[in-house]
């Protein structure tokens, strides 16, 4: 049985990846320090023999007994309000955490995939963003703690690849949504659902003309699965190129939520908020034969069903 370590396993993406690898017949070791993740996301995995959980902060030395075939590094605060609240931890998990895990991968001869982000492109001056674009990032702005940690993470991972010959994979993840997002994590779609479902004002930042392209979580997991098993070490964008304005996203959520009386209101735009974002997925299509399959109407419906179960508790 292949063994895979997944950091951030109790988070949104980490828990879906844990499900997928258990389903594929792997032994999954989930690791999380639970500062933004929650055991609710993995309660169903805990009784399984194929799943082991370690409560651990990967910014500290990481020990895993026995053999290891793969490492997926998905631990990090990932919403702008989280990394504003935890700037140092965000920097540490992307840098020191990545270094620890690369060392572990080297010691175990494991293949390591890191969760990078469209944030490496910053406030991009080209749209859509191909992997060759170097980005437009403000290192000392509020988002710098996340963006620069992820850029360092990519550089460190490439160095282990070229210098130590480690097998590495880099996925650049664009905005992703779906069940197990936290209702109140500050990101646009959960915020809009929460507001619409509790009849509060829907807070669109700026004039809502900034764009994002939202990928349903199952599509993202499929792309990551294929990338891990591919033989391509350079970064690959995984995201859904269907780009919309944030105002349109807010309107779609309002239209979906039964009987809501919420109205859209406009608030100040956060500093360094990217004006556009959309993945160029040519590489993922060609190298991995991957493309998204869940359209936004369907993805938003599934996400709404999940949030309905959460609002009852
Ligand atoms: N946003 C918004 N209202 C909210 C939360 C976010 O208008 O209550 C905007 C935010 O300014 C950004 C976009 O929605 O332009 C996406 O924000 P999110 O936090 O989801 O992720 P980002 O793509 O900025 O990392």
């Amino acid at each position: 049985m292949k063994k895979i370590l997944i950091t951030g396993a109790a988070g949104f993406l980490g828990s879906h990846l844990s499900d997928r690898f258990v389903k594929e017949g792997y032994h999954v070791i989930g690791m999380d320090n639970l500062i933004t993740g929650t055991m609710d996301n993995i309660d169903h995995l805990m009784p399984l023999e194929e799943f082991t959980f370690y409560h651990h902060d990967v910014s500290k030395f990481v020990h895993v007994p026995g053999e290891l075939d793969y490492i997926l590094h998905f631990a990090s605060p990932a919403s702008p309000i989280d990394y504003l609240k935890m700037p140092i931890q965000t920097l540490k998990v992307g840098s020191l955490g990545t270094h620890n895990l690369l060392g572990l991968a080297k010691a175990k001869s494991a293949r390591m995939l890191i969760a990078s982000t469209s944030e490496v492109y910053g406030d991009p001056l080209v749209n859509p963003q191909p992997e060759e674009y170097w980005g437009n990032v403000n290192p000392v702005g509020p988002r710098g703690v996340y963006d620069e940690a992820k850029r360092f993470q990519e550089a460190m991972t490439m160095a282990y690849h070229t210098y130590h010959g480690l097998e590495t994979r880099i996925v650049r993840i664009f905005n992703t949504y779906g069940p197990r997002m936290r209702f109140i994590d500050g990101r646009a779609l959960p915020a809009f659902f929460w507001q619409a479902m509790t009849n509060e004002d829907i807070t669109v930042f700026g004039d809502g003309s900034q764009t994002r392209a939202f990928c349903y979580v199952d599509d993202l997991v499929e792309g990551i699965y294929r990338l891990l098993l591919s033989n391509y070490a350079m970064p690959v964008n995984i995201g859904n190129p269907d780009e919309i304005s944030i105002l349109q996203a807010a309107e779609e959520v309002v239209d979906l939520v039964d009987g809501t009386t919420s109205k859209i209101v406009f608030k100040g735009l956060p500093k360094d908020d990217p004006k556009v974002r959309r993945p160029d997925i040519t590489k993922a299509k060609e190298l991995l034969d991957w493309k998204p399959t869940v359209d936004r109407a369907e993805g938003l419906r599934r996400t709404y069903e999940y949030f309905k179960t959460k609002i009852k508790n």
Side-chain angles (χ1 to χ4, degrees):
M1 189 182 243
K2 297 260 188 223
K3 229 162 112 182
I4 184 165
L5 169 66
I6 303 182
T7 75
F12 167 47
L13 298 181
S15 66
H16 283 284
L17 287 161
S18 298
D19 284 347
R20 175 66 186 261
F21 281 91
V22 164
K23 209 171 108 205
E24 298 288 344
Y26 290 65
H27 185 109
V28 174
I29 300 173
M31 204 171 265
D32 208 297
N33 66 352
L34 300 174
I35 59 170
T36 58
T38 162
M39 292 304 286
D40 290 353
N41 288 339
I42 50 169
D43 270 343
H44 61 287
L45 292 173
M46 295 301 279
L48 303 181
E49 247 175 52
E50 314 88 276
F51 185 76
T52 310
F53 181 70
Y54 291 136
H55 185 184
H56 181 68
D57 176 357
V58 298
S59 304
K60 314 247 163 63
F61 184 85
V62 181
H63 173 70
V64 173
E67 289 179 8
L68 208 50
D69 300 288
Y70 300 105
I71 298 176
L72 301 184
H73 183 24
F74 277 70
S76 179
S79 94
I81 59 167
D82 283 339
Y83 47 77
L84 285 178
K85 269 189 283 179
M86 296 175 267
I88 316 273
Q89 279 151 307
T90 303
L91 277 159
K92 282 171 76 175
V93 73
S95 56
L96 307 182
T98 300
H99 188 214
N100 288 337
L101 292 161
L102 285 164
L104 180 68
K106 182 164 152 270
K108 305 277 188 188
S109 302
R111 181 182 297 177
M112 172 142 152
L113 181 147
I114 57 155
S116 188
T117 167
S118 55
E119 285 285 315
V120 301
Y121 303 122
D123 187 2
L125 304 178
V126 298
N127 196 39
Q129 296 81 52
E131 288 85 349
E132 290 74 21
Y133 179 53
W134 290 351
N136 178 35
V137 171
N138 174 6
V140 293
R143 288 173 174 258
V145 296
Y146 185 70
D147 303 4
E148 295 296 1
K150 292 291 187 180
R151 288 170 69 96
F152 173 89
Q153 178 182 47
E154 288 196 9
M156 190 60 139
T157 300
M158 280 316 289
Y160 266 69
H161 177 68
T162 51
Y163 186 72
H164 289 307
L166 192 73
E167 286 197 46
T168 54
R169 307 286 179 265
I170 299 174
V171 59
R172 289 191 181 146
I173 299 170
F174 284 66
N175 292 67
T176 303
Y177 70 103
R180 301 187 193 155
M181 281 188 108
R182 282 172 304 148
F183 240 145
I184 311 185
D185 82 346
R187 275 182 286 191
L189 290 178
F192 296 159
F193 271 109
W194 172 258
Q195 291 161 343
M197 292 170 78
T198 57
N199 296 314
E200 287 172 25
D201 287 345
I202 309 278
T203 55
V204 167
F205 298 159
D207 63 3
S209 64
Q210 70 273 30
T211 66
R212 295 293 185 273
F214 295 98
C215 183
Y216 189 68
V217 61
D218 291 0
D219 282 331
L220 183 89
V221 166
E222 180 63 31
I224 289 168
Y225 182 75
R226 291 186 189 204
L227 177 61
L228 179 70
L229 300 182
S230 77
N231 57 11
Y232 190 74
M234 294 299 283
V236 178
N237 290 338
I238 299 284
N240 188 328
D242 186 1
E243 179 185 7
I244 53 166
S245 72
I246 289 301
L247 181 57
Q248 188 185 337
E251 285 167 351
E252 288 183 5
V253 171
V254 172
D255 287 345
L256 185 62
V257 171
D258 304 317
T260 183
T261 57
S262 294
K263 297 272 168 301
I264 292 174
V265 298
F266 296 91
K267 301 263 177 188
L269 191 66
K271 186 165 165 20
D272 297 341
D273 199 284
K275 285 179 272 308
V276 292
R277 186 186 286 152
R278 171 186 182 177
D280 179 330
I281 58 167
T282 310
K283 278 209 173 50
K285 279 186 178 154
E286 283 172 5
L287 297 166
L288 313 175
D289 191 25
W290 175 89
K291 62 174 173 20
T293 60
V294 181
D295 66 19
R296 208 170 45 253
E298 175 61 20
L300 288 178
R301 268 196 298 277
R302 292 188 204 172
T303 307
Y304 181 36
E305 289 308 313
Y306 170 78
F307 282 140
K308 277 193 213 167
T309 68
K310 283 284 144 183
I311 210 156
K312 288 192 199 114
N313 303 324

